[in-house]
Amino acid sequence: MKLKKLSIYLVLGLSYFVQAQSGDQILDGIGETALVSRYVFDGNLKDWSRNNLHASVEGSEAVFVDDKKFKKVLSLQAKNKLYVSIPGETLNSLESLSVSGWVNLGSEASNQYIFDFGKANGGHFYLVSEVKDGKTNYHAEIVTKKGKQYEVGLSALPTNTWAHITVVFDISSKTLITYTNGKLSGEAKNLDVELETLFDSSETPNKLYLGKSLNSESTFLNGNLHDFRVYRVALSRRQVARIYYSALGGQVNERHETDNDLPEFTADTPQLYMKYLTGVSDIKVETTKGVLPRLPRYINGIYKDGVIGPKVRVIWPAPVDNSSVLNIGQYTVTGHVSGSDLQPKALVTVLKEEKVETPDIKLDVFPLNQVSLDIDEHGSQTKFIENRDKFINTLAETNPDNFLYMFRNAFGEPQPEGAEALGVWDTQETKLRGHATGHYLTAIAQAYASTPYNKNLQDNFKQKMDYMVNVLYNLSQKSGKPAKADGKHVSNATAVPFGPGKKAFDSDLSTEGIRNDYWNWGEGFISAYPPDQFIMLEEGASYGGQTTQIWAPYYTLHKILAGLIDIYDVSGNKKALAIAEGMGSWVYNRLSKLPTETLISMWNRYIAGEFGGMNESMARLYRITGNKEFLETAKLFDNIKVFFGDANHSHGLAKNVDTYRGLHANQHIPQIMGALEMYRDSEIADYFHIADNFWYKTTNDYMYSIGGVAGARHPANAECFTSQPATIYENGLSAGGQNETCATYNMLKLSRNLFLFEQRAELMDYYERGLYNHILASVAENSPANTYHVPLRAGSIKQFGNPHMKGFTCCNGTAIESSTKLQNTIYFKSSDNKSLYVNLYIPSTLNWTERGVTVVQTTAFPKEENTRLTINGKGKFDVKVRVPQWAKKGFSVKINGKTEKVNAIPGTYLTLNRKWKNGDTIDLEMPFQFHLESVMDQQNIASLFYGPVLLAAQENEPRKEWRKVTFDAKDISKTIEGNPETLEFTIDGISYKPFYDTYGRHSVYLDVTLE
């Protein structure tokens, strides 16, 4: 994959293994997603990160020696010509690069390379010794492909002593810095380097050597190495120091210490419209005893100088319990407005506790095969068709045996000819292996349902579905049954013994260590690994790389079950349902025996207890089969601490308390989706409140402009919600990325399903935002490669991975689902088939078979501000069209060319009721306008939208500072030039394009001044 300009931070340092045992793998306060690979060299060459980029020793066998400081280390003796080779993929999908480890030099000789990264015949980056004036010094050097050289020295390194070496090249500040033992050693400024020449693997692969030069067969390191790490982020000076001092036994606050490396603003910095704001209305709200009030996040403001400003964002206190509403009466809550001294107040009246009615499901969805994506009205492919075809066509070329590889491996089955294991999180020793198979099952089911336009493609996916299900069914039938007639076996899921020859359960999946005694696993079990991880979770195991640790077993299982149920839904495959039922019973038998305290502990364990949407799948399984055991199983996945506060159900999301601040975002969003699914079947009102309250809080207090919801600097984890709500600038915008793509996938799913119960336009407004500005924007230009995180700092660049569907992260998995169902929310129907909801403005055709009506939507939206609905067929029914919240310049309707008098209010649905005739047309026009959306706690940092489309500044290089722009306070469009039909604009000579059409460096957030 081609890498654009990079920021490079190379750090050679050690953080001893103690931190890795903490369970959450956040080393030295640096989030795990920042870690690409880690080689401890304590007896093996394994990558202890979750990416399985295992190293190898070249020359002969690796030599590990005992060491007083680090117990066991890797010895590289020059005479033996040994060196370490790290996989070239380590440098893929990186914008910044950091490396860390300790070195103990055994010689003062010249030309000893600690590392050398790049290409032998091209540019490379290295750290090498040089003897001058009888002294041995080391310097870091960059040599570009065109021969430019930049270097900076280090402090002198003594021999036979461990030293911690750091090299930092920050391309955004054009600075090369070195550290020794955590302290600044040297610095060079004003570098001009195109790092893509170093790590562009489009022609020849990169080589990464430790202990040897790329260019010479006679320059080898004489010394020892230990704990070598590669990061994808720019480590700060404080992070470098923490790595060093924690290695020496210093205490590190992993989850709560943060590096504030964003530009800081003084208290008197004008924050957008705040300098024109003179007042904010106080409000009154009511709530019932025990339930925190839902305080509106946006309130009417009073502006001066003729400025018509937007509603004012108010940041309210966020209680951690419901103690303030335990008594009937009144109390006052005081909020604040960022960038002002205003303190609006909310008078809260607490009423007596009474039953609150919750909604019934009112809408049905259309099956995928009843809605098709069309070209636009000018005959051009839309971004939806482009992305769909990238995924559909690549999925059609995949080999199902690759996705079955680890399942056969777990059951000790031989592999068919041509089968190859997937990479990344589906390798031999990865504890999450099999997760991609679940995503694949769902994707091929959706692809099958979505391709009636191409019989060959549809047949292809039908064959894939049947083949996958048949293999998985045959494997599942082996579990808990004798391998041979009258053989010993354990059919009871709760009686699974230790693996053969073992004295405990473990997560060893190596070729030598994996257990294959499927006859002891209990009937119904199916997974790509033995049942040990499920049992270890019950016994308290944490997340991590050791064989005593685990990685989200129920997350993997959810993907598999969801995929099987999806195949059953679209094809009626009874074997798929049988597999799901068997595993559902296996899970019920185990979990139903556990005390509540154990379940609370399990589901609140970072990543180890991540269960995806198991509650959702079990509720779906109940709905299909009528087996109440499955609904009871769904309830066993209640995350009691988040849902209800504690085992007594004292507060939690059910009572509008934010119990998920600082938590792993995508660990919890599917749980909320599952709660809503359970509400559908159990009619337990709390489940609806949990989902509804979560959606409101998340989209208002944790959402970035693209619709993403995670990316915290505090806690130091790009996959977490910020430690406090409404503090994205203070605690978010992680250097390691933000806006995990699969989190937005799940937020869209939650929004869609909430809308089936309550037809609030804000749900579909959010859906439109996330769909256009994150999901569409997450796909590469010329392949189905897609994003994990989408960085939104100044001058960032998207990094795309998995173009050939051979190695999946979680977001690569949800990507194949998202892009095979892009049409699934354009239209809904009422359960009585008397109303049609038009939610999204996308060229498409709906076949409403129940009414014998076809609806064709013709448009070039969002490159045009209008759409036409043509009704083929006849009948009396309502057509309900969404009036987007951003449509502030008006919304007009014509039926058969005649203008209708309508009261179209932004952020609502408009009902068109009549007896429709064949050929009737509905023309909707919704003029776009430019508008700004601010970061709630630093409002001068804002994103620019045109209608629903987020516009990104097209940058030529990385940036340290936010791009500054100035707009007219009364009309921000005055200084914007461009062509709305192409959605390409210019501000101060800088090009702005839709974020979904942006593939180079971008600035999504701007530092805005209004005059």
Side-chain angles (χ1 to χ4, degrees), residues 565-576:
I565 295 170
D566 288 338
I567 286 178
Y568 174 76
D569 278 348
V570 302
S571 70
N573 190 313
K574 293 182 179 179
K575 285 185 178 179

Side-chain angles (χ1 to χ4, degrees), residues 492-543:
N492 184 350
T494 64
V496 178
F498 301 144
K502 299 190 178 186
K503 297 181 179 180
F505 296 106
D506 65 46
S507 58
D508 187 353
L509 301 177
S510 66
T511 303
E512 302 80 17
I514 190 171
R515 63 184 294 187
N516 301 122
D517 58 326
Y518 55 79
W519 51 90
N520 288 327
W521 295 353
E523 288 188 5
F525 182 85
I526 184 68
S527 184
Y529 42 75
D532 293 55
Q533 288 196 72
F534 296 90
I535 301 168
M536 293 166 69
L537 176 65
E538 298 170 10
E539 296 177 348
S542 63
Y543 165 60

Side-chain angles (χ1 to χ4, degrees), residues 660-716:
Y660 60 93
R661 65 193 83 190
L663 298 184
H664 185 289
N666 204 48
Q667 180 168 343
H668 294 84
I669 301 171
Q671 299 175 2
I672 306 299
M673 178 60 227
L676 184 62
E677 196 75 7
M678 292 163 66
Y679 166 70
R680 179 173 175 177
D681 294 306
S682 68
E683 297 184 355
I684 296 174
D686 275 353
Y687 286 138
F688 179 81
H689 295 313
I690 288 164
D692 188 42
N693 290 335
F694 177 88
W695 186 91
Y696 184 84
K697 290 178 183 297
T698 301
T699 56
N700 280 284
D701 295 342
Y702 297 100
M703 186 183 72
Y704 293 82
S705 56
I706 69 171
V709 295
R713 296 196 323 282
H714 184 195

Side-chain angles (χ1 to χ4, degrees), residues 842-872:
I842 298 171
S844 54
T845 298
L846 164 67
N847 184 12
W848 193 358
T849 56
E850 294 84 355
R851 294 200 66 102
V853 168
T854 299
V855 178
V856 179
Q857 184 172 178
T858 309
T859 183
F861 188 97
K863 294 183 178 180
E864 291 184 355
E865 303 169 330
N866 51 66
T867 191
R868 167 172 284 190
L869 301 168
T870 301
I871 297 174
N872 298 313

Side-chain angles (χ1 to χ4, degrees), residues 265 729 933-935 938-943 962 1005-1007:
F265 297 94
Y729 201 82
E933 295 207 4
S934 300
V935 174
Q938 189 65 51
Q939 297 197 34
N940 56 299
I941 304 303
S943 291
W962 304 106
Y1005 283 112
L1006 310 169
D1007 185 357

Side-chain angles (χ1 to χ4, degrees), residues 84 296 721 958 993 1003:
V84 177
F721 294 113
K993 293 170 58 177
S1003 288

